[in-house]
Amino acid sequence: MLSYLHAFHAGNFADVQKHAALTLILQMLHAKNSAIACFDTHAGSAIYDLASERARKTAEADGGIQRIWAKRNQLSSADWSAMLGYLERKNTGRQLLARYPGSPAWLAELARPQDSVTAYELHPSEGNLLAQWGRRQGVTVRCEDGLKGLLKALPPKAPRLLALIDPSYEVKSEYQQVAQTLVNAWRKCRHGTFLIWYPILPAAQHEALFDGLRASPVRKVLRHELRLQQAPERGMQGSGVLVVNPPWGFAERFEHMLAEVVAPDCLDARTSGDWLIPE
């Protein structure tokens, strides 16, 4: 199925969590000079117009990144600087954000000259927009299945790996597919860092992802969840990320980042983190 378009959801609370994790991981990995091969399996169209008809139809950014933006001068954690700095450059002088980067844009923005970024997108119209953007940014774009593409690309030539896996999970079987892809990718590149996003829905389908990983040889899997305080009976009630081989100290720094923006007048949610699978 190719009906999902991220333009309806760009900048929502799940994007805040996912992109905060992504930018923090990259900042921490950059403590070493060796090159990083970055992969995004479900890249979308890279840049989103928050004033577009699609974005305004759901207005999900209003309860997500727009609230963070309004509180930006009150955030003390230096780990927000990468996100806030890029947003400032894309939205100079604006009280409300107009443009919001998708995950491939965050990767491209933070990549150093020695790093590489490869983005996959199967949706035809999204893939065309991504390819146009990628040519301007020096990003390799593949209009194909990102899960299969990632496995074909591993192990990378670069000594280090960061892979973001974040499908829409429109089809329930994607939870098992993500688990199996991660296991196979880990076998090809055991030292790589993998960031996996998943939605928290009333039926808790994400447990199939957990079960698949618990039954595998993969170890050192950190889990962090952001659950809405006023959760709807239907639809997404929260957002979760798994980090395989997180940088040392990531859990504490990430929790501090999210704790600063979890409040009734900001992200009205609660956070939790633990080891899904210890080392």
Side-chain angles (χ1 to χ4, degrees):
M1 293 177 66
L2 293 173
S3 60
Y4 179 86
L5 292 173
H6 194 62
F8 289 98
H9 312 288
N12 66 4
F13 74 96
D15 262 4
V16 170
Q17 182 201 32
K18 177 174 61 180
H19 295 150
L22 183 66
T23 55
L24 177 58
I25 289 170
L26 268 174
Q27 290 178 85
M28 297 182 76
L29 291 179
H30 285 170
K32 295 181 180 179
N33 290 327
S34 54
I36 306 168
C38 301
F39 294 88
D40 186 345
T41 62
H42 297 75
S45 57
I47 300 292
Y48 299 95
D49 179 0
L50 296 185
S52 70
E53 182 179 354
R54 288 172 174 173
R56 296 314 305 160
K57 184 174 183 178
T58 61
E60 290 186 13
D62 293 358
I65 195 60
Q66 298 288 17
R67 288 189 176 183
I68 306 298
W69 187 243
K71 296 284 185 180
R72 63 190 182 279
N73 294 326
Q74 300 173 29
L75 302 179
S76 62
S77 171
D79 290 327
W80 282 109
S81 60
M83 283 189 71
L84 296 176
Y86 187 26
L87 291 175
E88 179 64 49
R89 291 190 291 277
K90 286 290 182 184
N91 299 271
T92 304
R94 290 182 176 272
Q95 285 191 315
L96 287 176
L97 296 173
R99 303 185 75 203
Y100 185 74
S103 46
W106 291 111
L107 289 172
E109 170 67 15
L110 297 177
R112 305 164 301 175
Q114 63 267 42
D115 301 331
S116 64
V117 178
T118 302
Y120 298 90
E121 179 53 53
L122 191 58
H123 193 288
S125 62
E126 296 290 273
N128 288 336
L129 291 172
L130 182 68
Q132 294 172 26
W133 169 86
R135 284 192 289 271
R136 298 191 298 269
Q137 300 295 323
V139 170
T140 299
V141 173
R142 307 288 189 201
C143 296
E144 61 181 276
D145 185 305
L147 298 181
K148 295 178 180 178
L150 175 64
L151 293 178
K152 288 192 297 184
L154 299 183
K157 294 181 180 178
R160 293 190 292 161
L161 165 72
L162 171 59
L164 170 63
I165 303 174
D166 63 335
S168 64
Y169 298 96
E170 285 184 287
V171 181
K172 292 180 181 180
S173 61
E174 284 187 299
Y175 294 95
Q176 291 93 339
Q177 290 171 2
V178 167
Q180 191 56 58
T181 297
L182 179 57
V183 172
N184 292 337
W186 178 85
R187 286 180 171 135
K188 287 174 171 253
C189 194
R190 296 193 179 196
H191 65 280
T193 298
F194 300 88
L195 173 61
I196 301 90
W197 174 82
Y198 59 91
I200 299 174
L201 301 168
Q205 293 102 322
H206 61 278
E207 290 291 344
L209 169 61
F210 295 170
D211 291 344
L213 295 180
R214 290 188 181 109
S216 79
V218 177
R219 290 294 175 267
K220 202 174 181 184
V221 183
L222 183 70
R223 170 175 54 186
H224 184 276
E225 294 186 346
L226 189 65
R227 291 178 179 262
L228 297 175
Q229 295 282 27
Q230 304 296 325
E233 292 184 6
R234 299 179 61 186
M236 197 161 62
Q237 299 181 332
S239 168
V241 292
L242 301 177
V243 187
V244 181
N245 294 326
W248 185 85
F250 169 83
E252 293 78 12
R253 288 171 63 173
F254 188 57
E255 183 59 40
H256 180 58
M257 284 183 72
L258 270 294
E260 282 201 289
V261 299
V262 174
D265 60 344
C266 200
L267 298 183
D268 191 9
R270 64 186 187 277
T271 67
S272 63
D274 60 4
W275 287 99
L276 180 72
I277 305 174
E279 191 169 3

